[in-house]
Amino acid sequence: MSARALAALALALAPAVVHARPASAGPDRAATQALVKQCGDTEDFSAPAPPARLYGNTFYVGTCTVSVLLVTSPQGHVLVDSATDQAVPAILANIRALGFRPEDIRWIVSSHEHFDHVGGLAALQKATGARVALSAPAARIAQTGAPDPADSQFGVLKDHPFAPVKTDRIVTPGSVIRVGPVRLVMSATPGHTTGSTSWSWQSCADKRCRTVSYVDSISALAAPPYRFTDHPEVVARFRRTFAAIAARRCGILVTPHPSVSNLFERMQGQEPLAPQDACRAYAAKGRKGLDAQLAKETAK
């Protein structure tokens, strides 16, 4: 048999790709539709969702209600957030389904130190061998796995400890996480937690690059007996963060809970993927929520 015939036979017998990646640089609308169909109206933080391309070399690999992003390169990958401990098997399966190896993840970064975003961090660190980069306040909480007693949601979070995590690098505003051509830039956006962190990078495919901004939660949520009116320094911190976010050009905005920024609707093409006022509108939403919470507390 000729070499050409052998090559053709090998190609015919090769296993099919589990989850073929589309040639387009934009969002994989069919995959996102499958995601939305599978998730339905669930509010479960750990509910598994199939993966979908967000843009270029950035993929959604999280759950139905908690964002986790995979940013890829030939030299290795970065994982953004880790959802819950229960979600880890599905996240790893999503990465493999896209044709990537979890062992090629070099860094894991995070948004904030709540169990629904760092609960799976220790297990993912162990499964991938990746290093972990956190802000100093988040690292202090992560090293124990015990929620911060000063957190506005401590009344609920105290029932949700998570596995302790070793932090390999403390990041500060302007810090850059590098893997091959991938560059993730850190911004401090405290408010929702003391260690709240946002990330931005260029996601490229077919020589087309767009900015992706993973902007942390900015919701002012309080679990009794916490009152923001008793903590003016926290209110001031929120307002500084709102102003900083409003001044940004987000590009493609992603939030730790996809529903907050209508991510799946935008990935399906039902709304613009990267509206020019995305960050300004997101900041305005956070400001409105804080003002409503303060008014509620004052009324009581």
Side-chain angles (χ1 to χ4, degrees):
M1 186 179 290
S2 68
R4 179 175 295 178
L6 283 171
L9 179 61
L11 181 61
L13 295 176
V17 176
V18 175
H19 201 292
R21 281 171 272 166
S24 170
D28 185 341
R29 293 186 179 181
T32 307
Q33 289 169 0
L35 185 162
V36 171
K37 182 178 180 180
Q38 177 171 314
C39 290
D41 296 327
T42 184
E43 296 181 359
D44 184 355
F45 288 154
S46 305
R53 181 195 296 272
L54 171 60
Y55 186 87
N57 59 326
T58 298
F59 300 84
Y60 188 93
V61 295
T63 73
C64 291
T65 61
V66 179
S67 300
V68 180
L69 300 183
L70 180 71
V71 188
T72 67
S73 85
Q75 288 76 37
H77 320 309
V78 179
L79 196 66
V80 183
D81 261 338
S82 56
T84 63
D85 183 58
Q86 293 82 1
V88 168
I91 293 170
L92 294 171
N94 281 347
I95 293 167
R96 295 188 184 100
L98 288 167
F100 301 107
R101 290 173 6 111
E103 297 81 6
D104 291 333
I105 295 173
R106 302 290 180 249
W107 283 97
I108 305 175
V109 302
S110 191
S111 55
H112 63 271
E113 58 276 21
H114 286 170
F115 76 97
D116 48 331
H117 305 286
V118 295
L121 190 49
L124 282 168
Q125 184 183 43
K126 182 178 180 181
T128 64
R131 291 177 287 176
V132 170
L134 299 173
S135 67
R140 285 195 293 271
I141 301 303
Q143 71 180 354
T144 66
D148 183 2
D151 195 297
S152 66
Q153 298 181 68
F154 181 72
V156 172
L157 296 172
K158 60 183 175 59
D159 297 325
H160 297 280
F162 52 88
V165 179
K166 174 183 175 294
T167 301
D168 298 286
R169 179 180 172 186
I170 299 296
V171 289
T172 55
S175 291
V176 180
I177 296 296
R178 295 179 171 86
V179 178
V182 171
R183 302 283 188 276
L184 273 74
V185 182
M186 182 269 202
S187 300
T189 48
H192 190 71
T193 71
T194 306
S196 283
T197 300
S198 298
W199 299 90
S200 61
W201 61 92
Q202 290 288 301
S203 191
C204 303
D206 302 330
K207 298 183 180 180
R208 296 172 58 201
C209 296
R210 301 189 74 165
T211 298
V212 179
S213 296
Y214 192 82
V215 183
D216 195 19
S217 300
I218 52 174
S219 53
L221 302 178
Y226 191 96
R227 289 165 43 91
F228 285 103
T229 47
D230 297 332
H231 300 276
E233 75 287 356
V234 176
V235 173
R237 188 172 68 196
F238 259 117
R239 297 205 185 282
R240 289 193 296 271
T241 289
F242 296 153
I245 291 173
R248 295 175 63 154
R249 291 290 295 271
C250 275
I252 302 172
L253 171 66
V254 184
T255 50
H257 293 284
S259 61
V260 173
S261 54
N262 295 343
L263 179 63
F264 298 153
E265 289 83 354
R266 290 185 287 121
M267 289 174 67
Q268 291 182 92
Q270 297 171 357
E271 297 179 13
L273 180 63
Q276 290 188 353
D277 66 342
C279 266
R280 186 168 64 253
Y282 183 51
K285 185 176 183 178
R287 188 179 296 111
K288 182 178 179 180
L290 174 62
D291 290 343
Q293 179 64 26
L294 291 171
K296 179 181 177 181
E297 293 175 4
T298 301
K300 286 185 177 180

